[in-house]
Amino acid sequence: MPQPKSAYDSSYKQTYHRSVTAVHSARTAEKEAAFVLPHLFPHYRILDVGCGPGSITTGFSKYVTAGSVTGIDFSEEVLEQARSFALSQGQPQTRFEVGNILEGLKYPDASFDVVFCNQTLIHIPDPVKALREMKRVCAPGGFVACREADMPWKWHPYLPGLQLWDKYMYGLLFGMTDSPHPQNLPHGPEYRGGSLIHVWARQAGFDPTKMKKGADVELYSSEQERKWFGESYIARIEHGGAGDKFRKLDANEEELQTILADLRAWMNDVDGWFSIFHGEIICPV
């Protein structure tokens, strides 16, 4: 994947504004980690890498009542949100700690039975190195599990403003903004995630013959789903810093207004559809 200025750059490019983390907080263990739950035992020790606001992490606690759950992120700002969420859910025993997986985690080898991440590797400049570290802290007999979005995402109707959103979001995530036609965004391996996680895992030293590979699709198509999702994207631009970040990528005001107008048009279109393909893997250790 394209490298930032530092291989250990710990700046999450979408920010931790509430307009962003509100979407992340809607994620649950039952949905995003559904492929993991059947493999859990009450005594398991779980590490959630890139836990964000902690909704999945906290959800795991219900399934390992005799074990432990730890979430790590490199932002104390988002970890405070995670701790507050855990308290609100009656799970104060869920731990949240600062950690940067590319710099090496503080935990000894074989500290956890399950090491999990969701929508984390696509934001890391060296996903293979991250997976090696996840493997190191996972105990023999346990497993590493990952769920990652694959790009490009799918919109209908694919309005000009949504094409511009994709263009500048790709620029934000991958440093790419020079496509003259945003609808022709690159589909090469450096701009994907979910369909590559099994490759990254093999390169990190996991046995490909023992991996359990799967996939899931996330869909927003009902009136209520479109309204919630569209408003969250609008809030990111107007209040959550995405607008300023897009401007730094040379988006002009006309383009930003086109993005906002077409997000609203998509929200109100009875045929509106947004879907994301997710790749999933379980890698025994």
Side-chain angles (χ1 to χ4, degrees):
M1 297 176 69
Q3 298 291 307
K5 292 180 180 179
S6 166
Y8 308 114
D9 181 9
S10 61
S11 57
Y12 179 61
K13 296 179 177 62
Q14 295 190 77
T15 81
Y16 294 107
H17 188 272
R18 291 284 182 173
S19 62
V20 177
T21 59
V23 175
H24 299 167
S25 296
R27 296 168 177 169
T28 66
E30 288 73 18
K31 176 63 170 71
E32 276 70 22
F35 68 110
V36 173
L37 298 183
H39 304 283
L40 298 182
F41 290 93
H43 66 278
Y44 269 6
R45 303 159 296 169
I46 300 177
L47 177 67
D48 185 4
V49 176
C51 65
S55 56
I56 300 173
T57 325
T58 300
F60 277 137
S61 295
K62 301 191 296 282
Y63 299 92
V64 291
T65 52
S68 65
V69 182
T70 302
I72 62 167
D73 210 296
F74 47 58
S75 166
E76 185 61 39
E77 177 186 358
V78 80
L79 291 176
E80 283 302 312
Q81 296 180 34
R83 294 183 188 108
S84 294
F85 181 82
L87 286 173
S88 74
Q89 300 300 303
Q91 299 288 351
Q93 75 278 16
T94 307
R95 296 195 304 270
F96 294 98
E97 301 174 342
V98 173
N100 186 327
I101 196 162
L102 290 186
E103 294 181 348
L105 301 178
K106 66 180 182 180
Y107 311 112
D109 295 355
S111 291
F112 301 94
D113 301 293
V114 177
V115 183
F116 171 83
C117 71
N118 176 70
Q119 316 310 341
T120 297
L121 296 176
I122 58 173
H123 299 290
I124 293 177
D126 192 342
V128 174
K129 182 172 184 177
L131 280 160
R132 289 195 189 106
E133 183 67 357
M134 294 170 72
K135 185 173 187 285
R136 180 189 69 79
V137 299
C138 189
F143 61 88
V144 171
C146 308
R147 182 176 188 265
E148 298 291 334
D150 202 60
M151 298 180 184
W153 301 317
K154 303 296 184 183
W155 299 87
H156 179 81
Y158 198 27
L159 302 170
L162 306 183
Q163 296 172 29
L164 287 167
W165 168 273
D166 282 352
K167 173 181 177 178
Y168 289 113
M169 182 55 69
Y170 270 63
L172 187 61
L173 296 177
F174 306 120
M176 186 289 302
T177 58
D178 56 359
S179 173
H181 304 290
Q183 67 270 27
N184 295 326
L185 289 166
H187 296 180
E190 67 271 29
Y191 300 107
R192 293 156 50 202
S195 57
L196 285 176
I197 51 175
H198 65 295
V199 178
W200 295 338
R202 176 184 57 75
Q203 292 171 344
F206 291 99
D207 185 343
T209 66
K210 295 180 180 179
M211 290 181 201
K212 181 178 177 61
K213 306 167 190 175
D216 182 42
V217 176
E218 182 179 2
L219 175 65
Y220 299 89
S221 63
S222 71
E223 181 179 359
Q224 182 179 4
E225 290 167 344
R226 293 194 310 273
K227 184 176 187 298
W228 179 81
F229 193 72
E231 286 180 348
S232 74
Y233 271 29
I234 289 168
R236 290 189 191 196
I237 294 172
E238 293 183 332
H239 310 295
D244 290 337
K245 287 177 178 290
F246 287 1
R247 290 182 185 95
K248 290 179 181 178
L249 294 169
D250 294 329
N252 59 46
E253 293 306 313
E254 181 180 355
E255 288 178 316
L256 290 174
Q257 291 306 312
T258 299
I259 292 172
L260 293 170
D262 283 351
L263 278 169
R264 293 186 174 97
W266 173 83
M267 286 167 51
N268 294 316
D269 190 323
V270 68
D271 295 324
W273 166 294
F274 177 78
S275 65
I276 309 175
F277 168 85
H278 301 279
E280 300 170 344
I281 52 169
I282 291 179
C283 303
V285 174

